[in-house]
Amino acid sequence: MQTSPKNLIDAFGRQVDYIRLSITDRCDFRCTYCMGEDVSFLPRDEVLSLEECARIVKAFVSLGVSKVRITGGEPLVRKNAIWLFEEIGQLAGVRELVTTTNGSQLEHQAQALKASGVKRINISLDSLNPERFRNITRVGDLDKVLRGIAAAKQSGFENIKLNSVLMRGINDDEILDLVRFAIVQEIDISFIEEMPIGSVDHARDSSFVSNIETLATLQQNFPLISSALNTGGPARYWQVAETHTKIGFISPHSHNFCEACNRVRITCKGELYLCLGQDDKIELMPILRANPNDDEPLINAIIDSMKIKPKGHDFDLQRAAPAVIRFMSHTGG
Ligand code: SAM
Ligand code: SF4
């Protein structure tokens, strides 16, 4: 038996205090950069139950994790997802419970999410043009998402942030419009560089837009003040002067953030991935199912996993094959 350390520290001295848990691989959208059109989803018994998700989160929280992000797939299409948010929201060690959603269910679920203890939400939005939004998401309804954003604003979250993946020739001409929308809504926005995860039907190296270029475009059009804000994530923030809006940049290519990595990811199958861009993982589901009434083996496995957290990732747009053949909807973005 191991004695539980209070904190999770990896072999490079980094403390892991943030987990991202994907609670489903299912989604009501089929974003081109995220999943194939004819994606097949996992059978139900290969997916963690919500009770198993709660056990995993509690184990991590007992080891000093204080920030939990619930993601997917689309987390809010999972039946009874709100129950899990409520369970996590009650844990004393959880300082920040946050989620990433495509916004399609927020119209009806934003209030319950806020009541469960969720403080901040990220809502993905890549276009303000209904037809283009449909093309990128393959099936999504922009109006529904805009109503979801309005419902989230009314629910009183501490922070709402849009996440936009820019792709050249697809939506990069909307940079300014997306920022203007965020300013009018008095919410934040982050630009995410497209990551070579899984396979897509557009060429990644030609669609890739660097955040260095995005920032330069924005600086020519808005008065930006570098912000010291640190959310514990890899984004870097700029305040748009005299507005309530901050602009963030999540830049796995142009800025290597591995040295400050404080997180691990758990898929809806219970795979604990130690790095978004590497294959190192351990399987938590067999441990959970073999020990339904004892969390000690789970806690010990999590402690042991720290030894194999890699130093960093290695994304390369020029490489023929994606760095890791794994879809974001599987790993949890
Ligand atoms: N369904 C939710 C949503 O779309 O917000 C949560 C899961 S989604 C996988 C989380 C985030 O990952 C989204 O903001 C999405 O834009 C982003 N994402 C998905 N595939 C990506 C890729 N290949 N490169 C960069 N970001 C990606
Ligand atoms: Fe669904 Fe989110 Fe992936 Fe789009 S990015 S397909 S909304 S999981």
Side-chain angles (χ1 to χ4, degrees):
M1 192 185 88
Q2 303 189 21
T3 24
S4 297
K6 227 172 160 220
N7 297 318
L8 288 171
I9 311 276
D10 76 359
F12 303 94
R14 297 169 298 191
Q15 182 182 346
V16 171
D17 57 9
Y18 175 16
I19 58 170
R20 300 170 74 110
L21 171 65
S22 170
I23 61 169
T24 180
D25 61 332
R26 288 167 198 257
C27 187
D28 51 346
F29 290 1
R30 298 284 183 278
C31 302
T32 52
Y33 50 73
C34 179
M35 45 174 90
E37 193 165 9
D38 54 355
V39 57
S40 47
F41 296 115
L42 292 166
R44 205 155 291 273
D45 64 342
E46 287 181 29
V47 174
L48 294 171
S49 69
L50 291 178
E51 289 76 11
E52 288 169 334
C53 290
R55 280 181 69 192
I56 290 175
V57 174
K58 283 174 191 165
F60 273 100
V61 171
S62 76
L63 293 166
V65 163
S66 59
K67 178 169 175 181
V68 180
R69 179 176 299 280
I70 301 297
T71 179
E74 173 47 42
L76 299 179
V77 299
R78 174 100 193 231
K79 207 171 155 213
N80 292 332
I82 296 293
W83 173 85
L84 179 66
F85 282 99
E86 289 170 349
E87 283 291 297
I88 301 170
Q90 286 167 17
L91 298 176
V94 175
R95 189 176 42 84
E96 266 191 286
L97 172 58
V98 294
T99 189
T100 304
T101 171
N102 65 22
S104 69
Q105 310 299 314
L106 280 178
E107 195 179 357
H108 306 294
Q109 299 199 34
Q111 277 198 350
L113 264 187
K114 171 70 176 60
S116 74
V118 172
K119 295 215 172 77
R120 301 192 285 117
I121 54 172
N122 292 351
I123 305 172
S124 299
L125 183 71
D126 301 325
S127 176
L128 291 163
N129 171 316
E131 200 183 315
R132 192 181 273 181
F133 184 85
R134 167 76 45 125
N135 287 339
I136 295 173
T137 60
R138 292 202 183 97
V139 287
D141 174 359
L142 176 63
D143 261 353
K144 204 170 163 190
V145 172
L146 295 180
R147 290 198 300 272
I149 293 171
K153 282 182 65 184
Q154 276 177 5
S155 303
F157 291 97
E158 262 173 33
N159 183 271
I160 300 173
K161 179 163 72 76
L162 302 176
N163 276 345
S164 304
V165 177
L166 288 180
M167 292 159 285
R168 198 177 306 284
I170 298 177
N171 66 344
D172 59 329
D173 57 345
E174 287 195 66
I175 301 177
L176 302 182
D177 286 344
L178 285 163
V179 171
R180 283 189 203 109
F181 175 77
I183 291 172
V184 170
Q185 298 294 323
E186 303 190 337
I187 60 182
D188 294 337
I189 181 165
S190 278
F191 291 100
I192 309 178
E193 288 176 346
E194 187 182 2
M195 286 181 254
I197 292 173
S199 60
V200 287
D201 49 12
H202 60 263
R204 232 107 195 212
D205 45 357
S206 57
S207 68
F208 178 71
V209 181
S210 149
N211 271 340
I212 295 172
E213 180 184 334
T214 305
L215 174 61
T217 307
L218 293 174
Q219 280 175 320
Q220 283 163 17
N221 289 276
F222 298 99
L224 299 187
I225 303 159
S226 177
S227 162
L229 186 88
N230 182 359
T231 57
R236 296 192 293 173
Y237 286 92
W238 297 74
Q239 181 78 41
V240 186
E242 291 173 31
T243 74
H244 295 282
T245 297
K246 285 185 288 302
I247 304 177
F249 296 93
I250 302 176
S251 319
H253 295 289
S254 48
H255 171 63
N256 190 318
F257 50 73
C258 300
E259 71 278 2
C261 182
N262 62 342
R263 76 221 23 222
V264 294
R265 293 175 161 79
I266 304 120
T267 70
C268 59
K269 286 171 76 174
E271 299 151 312
L272 168 58
Y273 277 103
L274 285 310
C275 171
L276 176 64
Q278 302 282 4
D279 273 332
D280 307 77
K281 65 165 173 176
I282 59 166
E283 304 276 354
L284 299 180
M285 193 184 274
I287 303 172
L288 282 163
R289 295 196 175 168
N291 303 281
N293 301 311
D294 179 8
D295 284 342
E296 199 171 303
L298 173 66
I299 288 173
N300 287 340
I302 293 169
I303 295 168
D304 279 347
S305 74
M306 288 298 108
K307 295 180 194 141
I308 59 161
K309 184 169 166 60
K311 192 167 181 201
H313 65 223
D314 174 29
F315 292 149
D316 182 354
L317 290 167
Q318 307 308 322
R319 219 167 26 194
V324 175
I325 311 290
R326 202 162 76 210
F327 287 95
M328 198 76 155
S329 55
H330 178 153
T331 317

